[in-house]
Amino acid sequence: MKLLEALNVGPVTLPNRLAVPAMVTRLSGEDGRVNDDVVDRYVRYAEGNVGLIVVEASSVHGGKSGPLLRVSDDEFIPGLRQLTSACHAASDSKVFLQIIHFLKIARSGWREKVSEVDAERLEELPELFTSAALRAQEAGFDGVELHMAHAYTLSSLLSRHNRRSDKYGRTLENRLRLPSKVLRTVRARVDPSFGVAVRFDADESIRRGYSVLEAGQMAVRFAELGAGYVSLSAGGKFEDAVHREGKPLYPYTGYSGDRCMPGDTYVDGANSWMAEAVKSTLRSHGCDTPVLATGKIGSAQLAEDLLQRGVCDIVGMARALLADPYLLKKFREGREDETVRCIYCNVCKSLDENFNTVVCYLWPKDAIQAPRPDEQSQVPIRWPENLEPLTASAEAGQIRLKWTRPEGPAVGFDVLRSEDLGPYERLTSCTRASQLDDSVLRGRSYRYRVVPYDESGRRGVPSNIVEIELGPDDADEAMALEDVDVSL
Ligand SMILES: Cc1cc2nc3c(=O)[nH]c(=O)nc-3n(C[C@H](O)[C@H](O)[C@H](O)COP(=O)(O)O)c2cc1C
Ligand code: SF4
């Protein structure tokens, strides 16, 4: 299986091709220090054999930032070392630190724009990033990931919205100047065996933002400067963020925020086309730099499919691994049906927005970490006896499924569908006891069943099977009447 194959990212060898992209945990205090809870969060990814663990965005500079890890001073090195030692002791996962610089924001909605910052201040960036990378190296990380995605300083420089009139704005070459210098300087000053990678947007997902054409060119530049991999994100911009009274702007509230963290209404692998396009530009320029794709890739099967098709070289799963850090381990051990599947409800995102500890909605009540596989509940989930729990009805071009909640600790349900007697596939996972399927066609027959799971992912017995076809709908009747009118 490609997913389980090792891969070199510059000087670092990943044991497999699954990555957990950076995800702010809000587990540190405002002091930005690593504590036991932060260590606990990342150790689980290592225990789950995730090939590449990218530790959350950590600030390269001082200044107010709420609960966010920092790497802006040597005093943070011991805590960060505790984190890397614990992860390395748990498995051969490689651990990178994402390093970030951001501009000021205020509760009034005001934000400092890159076009307003003095050039002298921007010119401090290569040194700030390099000092942070050297600290990360000293703390035992295998590499750093330079955060050039979303709404932050390096990303704002890359953006087509960067209208600076000096050598750092407007043209692609100018917009790339400082981010390139950051990468070049960091790469030159850290040890050759230390990894340096870049994360940036493949598509800004805002009006007049850049898309994959320019992102491909950026990727080529970063590859030529020695990036060990390029991790592609999308959107997450201030330009279309919705200001909420009394709160600083959160760059994931508009459409670009949806694109960055696609919710339950988006298709699986929602942004994989972007990775495919950027990878193709890289390869056509003779660059073999690995490409990491993210965006609603929630299962090992989908990950393997993307890798087999050559869409990307590393698969990033953020929320799916937050929900269940043991997803790969369970898959490897043939226990995939014990996975706690992310339902892309984005509760974790709103916790982040409000500076609350980021947890998953599917974890046990009040837990701040995912349960380990051996912490499984022993209470079985049981459907009520002498009752067919699942029913289906067709209405207005869609099929409504309802089921009785089982006894026992069910936190979620996989809804499985088979079309025209074909194999069952997972349509979605949800926490409520009903589901509307609006992606059905007349003339086809559909069978459904529902599988409950508990907070540690253990599946209960599947429900009864219901079989149903759509009848003619109102629109058909209206069309039929129109036909009659025409013939008269
Ligand atoms: C709670 C939360 C915090 C995040 N923090 C970061 C971050 O620190 N740095 C970053 O580059 N992306 C961050 N992201 C974006 C994720 O890395 C990822 O790109 C996004 O969630 C889409 O991937 P997914 O569909 O696998 O979740 C965060 C996402 C979430 C949900
Ligand atoms: S809170 Fe929702 S979106 Fe976030 S990881 Fe859990 S199930 Fe997924």
Side-chain angles (χ1 to χ4, degrees):
M1 262 194 103
K2 253 193 144 35
L3 183 61
L4 303 179
E5 284 173 17
L7 179 75
N8 292 336
V9 292
V12 179
T13 304
L14 306 181
N16 61 60
R17 295 162 185 235
L18 180 66
V20 57
M23 249 182 306
V24 162
T25 59
R26 307 281 182 210
L27 283 165
S28 71
E30 302 237 348
D31 60 3
R33 286 176 199 282
V34 170
N35 55 34
D36 290 349
D37 294 333
V38 176
V39 175
D40 261 16
R41 175 69 52 98
Y42 289 99
V43 161
R44 280 167 166 72
Y45 299 125
E47 289 171 352
N49 301 135
V50 176
L52 171 66
I53 300 171
V54 185
V55 169
E56 64 200 85
S58 302
S59 158
V60 300
H61 57 113
K64 247 179 131 177
S65 63
L68 191 81
L69 285 186
R70 289 176 190 273
V71 59
S72 49
D73 191 282
D74 289 357
E75 64 170 304
F76 297 106
I77 296 174
L80 291 165
R81 189 177 294 121
Q82 193 196 337
L83 173 57
T84 57
S85 308
C87 290
H88 287 143
S91 77
D92 57 358
S93 302
K94 294 296 184 263
V95 191
F96 277 43
L97 182 67
Q98 186 180 62
I99 53 179
I100 184 173
H101 185 280
F102 44 86
L103 298 175
K104 291 182 196 141
I105 49 175
R107 288 182 183 275
S108 60
W110 171 86
R111 68 182 170 98
E112 192 178 21
K113 298 198 180 93
V114 79
S115 52
E116 296 159 2
V117 181
D118 289 345
E120 297 73 54
R121 209 173 124 213
L122 289 179
E123 282 159 0
E124 290 169 3
L125 290 171
E127 201 47 47
L128 282 171
F129 274 91
T130 304
S131 305
L134 289 167
R135 286 184 200 111
Q137 181 177 289
E138 202 180 327
F141 283 93
D142 299 291
V144 282
E145 185 182 274
L146 310 177
H147 197 344
M148 302 193 189
H150 313 157
Y152 311 107
T153 316
L154 293 178
S155 174
S156 304
L157 281 163
L158 290 177
S159 172
R160 275 187 86 90
H161 283 248
N162 167 6
R163 306 309 290 160
R164 287 183 71 90
S165 53
D166 61 6
K167 61 181 175 178
Y168 301 125
R170 290 178 193 258
T171 66
L172 179 58
E173 192 58 61
N174 282 353
R175 282 152 45 209
L176 267 164
R177 196 177 305 279
L178 263 174
S180 302
K181 189 165 181 197
V182 169
L183 171 58
R184 195 184 305 114
T185 317
V186 172
R187 187 58 278 171
R189 301 254 304 274
V190 294
D191 196 86
S193 64
F194 188 70
V196 181
V198 171
R199 183 170 220 214
F200 70 108
D201 278 353
D203 186 295
E204 290 194 276
S205 307
I206 43 173
R207 281 188 77 204
R208 301 205 177 93
Y210 72 73
S211 187
V212 290
L213 285 182
E214 283 197 347
Q217 292 172 276
M218 293 175 192
V220 171
R221 172 64 53 85
F222 298 142
E224 287 167 351
L225 292 173
Y229 65 83
V230 290
S231 169
L232 300 173
S233 188
K237 308 299 289 184
F238 279 131
E239 280 76 3
D240 67 343
V242 181
H243 181 231
R244 296 183 178 146
E245 192 67 30
K247 289 190 178 171
L249 266 184
Y250 182 67
Y252 308 98
T253 39
Y255 170 72
S256 75
D258 277 2
R259 247 5 289 181
C260 181
M261 302 172 197
D264 54 4
T265 55
Y266 282 77
V267 291
D268 288 342
N271 298 337
S272 56
W273 60 274
M274 301 177 194
E276 194 167 20
V278 171
K279 186 176 163 187
S280 141
T281 308
L282 274 171
R283 299 300 178 262
S284 67
H285 284 74
C287 306
D288 59 2
T289 307
V291 171
L292 189 159
T294 33
K296 213 176 167 193
I297 305 170
S299 69
Q301 281 95 341
L302 177 57
E304 179 64 16
D305 179 51
L306 295 173
L307 293 169
Q308 290 286 353
R309 288 197 286 122
V311 169
C312 58
D313 308 288
I314 310 169
V315 172
M317 292 187 193
R319 290 164 295 172
L321 283 167
L322 176 69
D324 192 343
Y326 301 95
L327 181 150
L328 183 69
K329 190 174 161 66
K330 289 177 181 174
F331 177 76
R332 260 178 157 162
E333 293 171 359
R335 297 190 296 134
E336 210 200 358
D337 59 357
E338 292 176 27
T339 309
V340 179
R341 286 199 190 282
C342 172
I343 54 167
Y344 296 101
C345 60
N346 271 337
V347 166
C348 49
K349 167 176 152 179
S350 38
L351 291 167
D352 173 42
E353 176 177 2
N354 293 302
F355 296 141
N356 290 320
T357 303
V358 172
V359 296
C360 173
Y361 177 62
L362 301 176
W363 294 351
K365 200 167 173 295
D366 299 329
I368 61 162
Q369 307 291 358
R372 291 193 157 89
D374 56 5
E375 291 167 355
Q376 290 186 340
S377 144
Q378 292 308 308
V379 186
I381 303 173
R382 262 196 256 277
W383 295 106
E385 270 177 39
N386 304 323
L387 182 79
E388 299 221 311
L390 177 63
T391 57
S393 56
E395 51 185 69
Q398 46 199 3
I399 291 172
R400 181 176 292 281
L401 301 168
K402 282 188 184 164
W403 55 94
T404 313
R405 289 197 87 90
E407 293 156 17
V411 296
F413 303 92
D414 290 331
V415 180
L416 311 182
R417 182 177 88 172
S418 134
E419 191 179 315
D420 289 341
L421 300 180
Y424 279 96
E425 286 177 9
R426 193 174 64 91
L427 181 66
T428 187
S429 298
C430 60
T431 51
R432 56 190 177 270
S434 64
Q435 180 65 37
L436 205 57
D437 183 2
D438 59 3
S439 57
V440 283
L441 290 175
R442 270 181 299 108
R444 305 243 156 103
S445 79
Y446 296 93
R447 291 181 304 160
Y448 298 88
R449 66 192 320 184
V450 167
V451 183
Y453 54 90
D454 70 13
E455 60 199 21
S456 48
R458 200 170 45 152
R459 265 48 182 181
V461 176
S463 71
N464 57 305
I465 294 172
V466 288
E467 185 161 359
I468 187 161
E469 263 185 49
L470 275 189
D473 64 16
D474 300 346
D476 283 338
E477 279 164 25
M479 272 168 64
L481 282 175
E482 274 172 29
D483 289 347
V484 172
D485 286 341
V486 171
S487 68
L488 286 173

